[in-house]
Amino acid sequence: MKYGHLERLDITLRTLAPLFIGSGESYTKKEYILDPDTRQIHFPYLPDLITYLKNRNCLQEYEKFLLRADKNDLGLFLKENKIRPKEYDEFVAYSIDAGEAIENEQFREVLTFMKDAYGLPYIPGSSLKGAIRTAIAAQLIKEDDFNWARRGIENADTSVRPRRYLSREDNNINRRIFFRLEHKDIRTNELIRNPINDFMQGIRVSDSHPLELINLTLVGKHERKPDGSVALLPIFRECLIPGSEAKLQITLDKPILAKAGITIDFIERALHNFADDHYESFEQHFEEKSEDAEIAANQGVDLILGGGAGFVSKTLIYNLYNEREMALARAAFILNKQFPPNHGHSKSLRLYKVAPHVLKTTKYKGQYYQMGRCELIIE
């Protein structure tokens, strides 16, 4: 639909794998109830729980429970105080499928999904716009000479703190890619080198409509090595299940985007090419498993979104270098600089021939999925 210089398009984001958009909050074992009988996990609303326990004359016992280091199972505490599951409705805010956490001894903490004011999960437009931005950057790099950027990365100051390493070079690359609108300072007639010239302001993505809680489950963090071996880390996340569909809108300011040659067709092509490059440079270097789910973007373009999806899905190192071996060496060097030695990134070149040497996967209903893989359908 067109509104003068604006074009608004309806889009559907379909999850092909579990998707995590973090809220920044988490629950410890003292704060949730894991019910093995219903295979659900219940999250109490603390004020209601306090009121309920006070009315049951259990508040003092609850305070002792919170202070004890040797007891951390809220469900067991409630059972010991003769509070039955049918009474949970008095204080539980919401419940979801416990997924693989129900049978995992490592399960301790839950990282929660983004939710709206009514407690329903949704996908922020900023998350999708970030993925689109990365794909557009990769596409524009293909169409320009970025030798200067590669030289800058290779000659970057390695004496700075890990968090600051490459920050200046990253800013320079982003300015070169995105600051194309040519707004000038009225006093000096010089180009303004700040986000006022960023053509991405011509792309607006709405937050999604809320989804139902039935679309959430808990999944663990399964890190796959190139030889196919998998390590399960004790990190569990609320994720949208495969097959969840979120409705959003994307609005294009056509005059702004025209100055950078960006159209909806360009965006789709950029997403498609970025996904292909991700597979060729990274994914295909990890051995497949018989338990891998078969997924494909049959109606739209595929993309990798959200938290826990991995370094390569959110960076441009492999896109900056025409030769994979050079990109691999640089990626291994950067990761070794930014992470402690026990992460083993120094072995990426010598032992694994891929950097990073871990593919971020998870497991849902007995099958492995690459974390955050989705399908974007532009209607």
Side-chain angles (χ1 to χ4, degrees):
M1 188 175 295
K2 296 182 179 180
Y3 302 87
H5 64 285
L6 300 177
E7 182 177 8
R8 183 170 296 164
L9 301 165
D10 292 324
I11 55 178
T12 298
L13 186 74
R14 177 183 297 136
T15 58
L16 301 176
L19 170 66
F20 176 66
I21 308 289
S23 68
E25 298 180 350
S26 62
Y27 287 93
T28 67
K29 203 165 185 179
K30 288 181 183 283
E31 297 173 300
Y32 61 76
I33 307 161
L34 192 62
D35 189 340
D37 294 328
T38 63
R39 301 185 69 84
Q40 285 196 312
I41 184 168
H42 309 287
F43 298 96
Y45 178 57
L46 186 57
D48 287 350
L49 177 61
I50 296 297
T51 300
Y52 181 84
L53 293 175
K54 184 178 180 180
N55 293 337
R56 288 287 299 263
N57 296 316
C58 296
L59 190 55
Q60 190 173 8
E61 290 301 313
Y62 178 65
E63 291 171 349
K64 292 178 182 178
F65 163 74
L66 292 177
L67 293 172
R68 291 186 62 170
D70 61 329
K71 288 197 172 184
N72 64 358
D73 190 328
L74 178 58
L76 182 59
F77 165 81
L78 295 175
K79 184 177 181 180
E80 290 173 346
N81 285 274
K82 298 181 173 53
I83 298 172
R84 295 170 293 179
K86 68 179 183 179
E87 300 170 73
Y88 290 172
D89 287 344
E90 298 287 333
F91 51 81
V92 165
Y94 70 99
S95 306
I96 65 170
D97 171 42
E100 65 174 321
I102 201 74
E103 298 167 351
N104 196 287
E105 294 181 357
Q106 298 185 67
F107 178 51
R108 294 291 182 271
E109 184 181 34
V110 177
L111 305 181
T112 61
F113 196 94
M114 183 72 74
K115 300 182 184 69
D116 65 12
Y118 300 97
L120 296 175
Y122 74 98
I123 297 174
S126 57
S127 294
L128 179 54
K129 184 174 178 178
I132 292 172
R133 183 184 180 93
T134 301
I136 287 176
Q139 187 65 29
L140 291 174
I141 284 172
K142 288 177 179 287
E143 301 173 2
D144 202 348
D145 177 13
F146 273 78
N147 281 330
W148 63 271
R150 292 186 283 272
R151 289 194 300 269
I153 290 172
E154 290 159 9
N155 296 321
D157 183 3
T158 59
S159 66
V160 299
R161 291 176 298 173
R163 286 184 176 272
R164 297 293 300 166
Y165 178 58
L166 292 182
S167 61
R168 182 178 63 181
E169 290 73 22
D170 181 63
N171 287 335
N172 289 339
I173 292 171
N174 274 281
R175 282 197 293 267
R176 174 70 172 265
I177 292 172
F178 295 107
F179 292 6
R180 300 191 179 199
L181 298 187
E182 299 184 348
H183 293 306
K184 295 183 178 181
D185 189 315
I186 59 175
R187 296 167 300 178
T188 65
N189 202 38
E190 294 181 356
L191 284 176
I192 301 172
R193 297 184 179 278
N194 67 37
I196 196 173
N197 273 318
D198 190 335
F199 68 75
M200 286 298 294
Q201 63 186 285
I203 300 176
R204 302 170 192 170
V205 184
S206 72
D207 293 341
S208 79
H209 294 171
L211 289 86
E212 298 299 323
L213 289 169
I214 197 172
N215 291 99
L216 287 180
T217 189
L218 286 188
V219 299
K221 184 177 181 180
H222 295 256
E223 296 198 335
R224 181 179 302 186
K225 295 288 182 66
D227 64 2
S229 60
V230 179
L232 174 60
L233 277 64
I235 297 173
F236 286 79
R237 304 178 173 105
E238 285 184 341
C239 288
L240 291 178
I241 62 175
S244 301
E245 291 191 358
K247 302 293 185 180
L248 307 91
Q249 286 186 329
I250 183 169
T251 302
L252 307 179
D253 190 319
K254 296 176 73 174
I256 287 178
L257 296 177
K259 294 179 180 179
I262 307 298
T263 63
I264 192 63
D265 290 337
F266 181 96
I267 292 171
E268 287 190 271
R269 185 168 72 253
L271 288 168
H272 179 77
N273 289 340
F274 188 76
D276 283 352
D277 290 344
H278 188 278
Y279 175 78
E280 292 173 8
S281 300
F282 184 65
E283 292 173 50
Q284 69 171 339
H285 299 278
F286 292 83
E287 188 172 312
E288 296 181 357
K289 300 180 72 68
S290 59
E291 306 99 313
D292 285 345
E294 292 186 10
I295 59 174
N298 295 319
Q299 293 180 262
V301 293
D302 56 345
L303 74 158
I304 300 174
L305 188 65
F311 173 84
V312 180
S313 69
K314 301 182 186 302
T315 56
L316 299 170
I317 290 299
Y318 280 97
N319 307 99
L320 277 168
Y321 288 85
N322 295 324
E323 297 180 11
R324 182 181 178 275
E325 291 303 315
M326 295 180 66
L328 172 60
R330 186 49 46 184
F333 182 88
I334 292 170
L335 289 164
N336 195 44
K337 167 65 180 174
Q338 294 185 328
F339 292 93
N342 64 335
H343 284 241
H345 291 297
S346 60
K347 303 176 183 178
S348 295
L349 286 176
R350 179 168 51 87
L351 295 181
Y352 303 115
K353 306 301 182 185
V354 63
H357 57 267
V358 169
L359 181 67
K360 303 293 186 179
T361 66
T362 191
K363 210 168 189 181
Y364 175 68
K365 291 189 175 181
Q367 291 187 298
Y368 285 107
Y369 294 82
Q370 187 181 345
M371 194 71 184
R373 188 169 287 282
C374 299
E375 177 179 21
L376 185 68
I377 305 165
I378 301 173
E379 300 170 8

